Amino acid sequence: MKRQYLFVALFILSVFAALEPAGVAAATPGAAKLDRTILPIIEPDYPPIKELDARKAKAPPRFEVKAPKGAPNVVIVLIDDMGFGTANTFGGPVAMPTMDRLAQEGLRYNNFHTTALCSPTRQALKTGRNHHTANTGSIMETATAFPGDTAVLPNSVAPVAEILRLNGYSTGAFGKWHETAPWEISVSGPFARWPTLQGFDKFYGFLGGETNEWSPLIYDGVTKVQPPHDPNYHFTTDMTNQAIAWVRYQQALTPDKPFFVYYAPGATHAPHHVPKEWADRYKGKFDQGWDKQREETLRRQIELGVVPAGTQLAVKPEAIKDWDTLTPDEKKLFTRQAEVYAGFAEHTDHEIGRLVKALEDLGELDNTLFIYIEGDNGASAEGGMNGMFSEMTYFNYVQETVEDQLKHLDQWGGPETYPHMAAGWAVAFDAPFAWTKQVASDFGGTRNGMVIHWPKGFKARNEVRSQFHHVIDIVPTILEAVHLPEPKVVNGTMQKPLEGVSLAYTFDDAKAKDRHATQYFEMFGNRAIYHDGWFAGTLHRAPWETENRRPLTEDIWELYDVSKDFSLSRNLAKENPQKLAEMQKLFMSEAVKYNVLPIDDRLLERFTASAVGRPDVMAGRTRLTLGEGMTGMMENVFIDVKNRSKTITAELEIPESGANGVILAQGGRFGGWSLYLKDGKPAYTYNWLGLNRYTVTAPEALPAGKATLVFDFAYDGGGVGKGGTGALSVNGSKVAEGRIDRTQPRIFAIDETADVGIDEATPVVDSLGEGEQTRFTGKIEKVTVEVK
């Protein structure tokens, strides 16, 4: 390790020495170009000035780093959880006029691939390296202790935003991040892997994997902000307003300075939240069911030329029922789920259209490299066979019934729901492929449509490009378009070489030979390898399955000739075992090369830090003392109260007028718990997944003065997710007791927090109101949480 640091130091010193004379010249008009392979670019070392009087002295030229002359703006739009067969631009049933317009004025890519899951795709997209090289083998919340999957981006893997910023760009990120390790998301940081220290001058969005579109957990930079309690509020609209305002402001002040915008909405990831009028646009349009939709989508895809003629639909998974065999209630529920999802998608495209219009109004659209990616993976089948009213049921191994979900049908997609759709729709929205998100061994999980629009950059219009490419190819494409070299050193750290290749060679040459010859895929044991037109992979576990199908060493591999089989419909493993063996050997070689091994094929168990050995802010802690004003504590930085007994002790001061409101709450409307006063009476409510609520209430209000309120929960034991008995005590005397029949074993919420003195975002107890209405009106001296 010391030898490595010595090498880096000597390398940087040699570069400084070589650049010293050129550095001065580079700051002079007409001088040699700056060396942009070392970032930040080295400032010239000017000789000392010996003149006493400034009036007689000549100032040296001002050193300023500017982007290369004529460098385009760059915009990346990354939709969440949208499959290849969703947008009408790629033959799907959902109208996405903005994507369609950009495609007609640019290029459609029908052989572009992602990693099958969100965090890994995002890190690969923004670093130009494979997701294991970026230590993001899976999502942030399931990181392990092994290299390749630690969730900590190495300094040797600088993101493109930092490269562009250090080369004279303004940079802004809006929407979903999901690239910061969960144990680093608190006031204690560290903030090195938050967006504003990953190259972005501006960040407005959420840090986790999903958010409630009606009540999101938003950060502006590193500061948590409260969205307005406005019935017309929607996060996608809010983030678009922020993006447009930032670009306009930046261009007003520095019109000659190019910008990089990363626009990543939470849509169309669950929860599927959209204004009702957008969902109602699709009333009746999915009544034909998912089987017919797949057929119709393939027909349109072939007509559009985004899928080769003769392509067959891959056989859908056995677990997905034929639509004609469903009950009337199932069809009623499932069609509304699809209507809401489709409305969510079109609404998102509409908001992207507002951003495009803003760029057009500024006169910047034609010289903007605009990359619109239809999904960071395939559509999500995590809704299981029935879909979900509360997506938190997925993370807690609870299967919702059709009957229970139908009770919420009229509210579907609104603030009262946190919904997901049935897996049959995910397969349909991934047509013509068989599988979905999480399945890295099938193109349904990894092949996503992409549109590139850049009128000043290439001549081709409304054409299809079919060269094999991967999300790691975006950074090299940007650097080539901007005329920037791949940096060797960034912020004093030697950089690992980019692992992608630029797509620019395809811009004006539809028949150009593929330059991305080999690519591995792996996610939770689902794994595959592509090489020169061949694809081999194995399905280790379906997204709706809680157990792996077989041990890793016993997985059954399939083989496809993708040069002739676009949809992976003809398995050639038995016909060509020699080729399959060759591909399996290549996968292992690539897996070793890129830190893919060892493979951890667990899923929900990995949400528990102690199970996989990743950092945990509360590791070993059994007691946490909190005070007023401590809000916004995400689940991974709060003491874990699940599957165990706990005691909450609150030292309060009650005014003469009495007190109401939340003392301490964790979670929200779709899962969590709250200790509070209502009508002055102490109460504790456990909200089980938004499906059941268990409340223990004291018979009398607390009198004025100091009071010690204690809630004891005695867990039944005997496994996870069990119930227990809750008891309230005031000043040492028990005042109430009651049963809590069930608890959540894994997660309360993805984007809800623990809060002292208020219940932010959605409330655990709806009758207390929302936001400021839940604020405690007495004084909280301190609250202590102990677990046993």
Side-chain angles (χ1 to χ4, degrees), residues 49 62 170 200 221 251-252 254 417 449 544 583 656 664 729 767 769:
I49 296 173
R62 179 172 178 267
S170 294
F200 288 105
Q251 283 292 289
T254 53
T417 66
W544 52 80
M583 295 289 283
E656 290 295 333
L664 176 63
S729 299
S767 62

Side-chain angles (χ1 to χ4, degrees), residues 154-200:
N155 291 334
S156 58
V157 180
V160 69
E162 181 71 344
I163 296 170
L164 294 177
R165 185 185 72 84
L166 294 173
N167 275 288
Y169 272 70
S170 294
T171 56
F174 303 88
K176 175 174 172 175
W177 184 246
H178 207 199
E179 295 168 43
T180 302
W183 60 89
E184 296 184 348
I185 302 176
S186 77
V187 296
S188 297
F191 294 95
R193 282 163 290 277
W194 286 51
T196 48
L197 284 177
Q198 286 289 304
F200 288 105

Side-chain angles (χ1 to χ4, degrees), residues 338-373:
E339 291 165 5
V340 168
Y341 177 81
F344 196 18
E346 185 176 348
H347 175 262
T348 303
D349 182 82
H350 168 77
E351 294 297 330
I352 296 164
R354 292 204 299 121
L355 175 61
V356 169
K357 179 65 164 55
L359 300 182
E360 198 169 26
D361 291 344
L362 289 167
E364 294 295 327
L365 183 60
D366 283 359
N367 195 35
T368 296
L369 175 62
F370 200 111
I371 302 169
Y372 192 151
I373 305 174

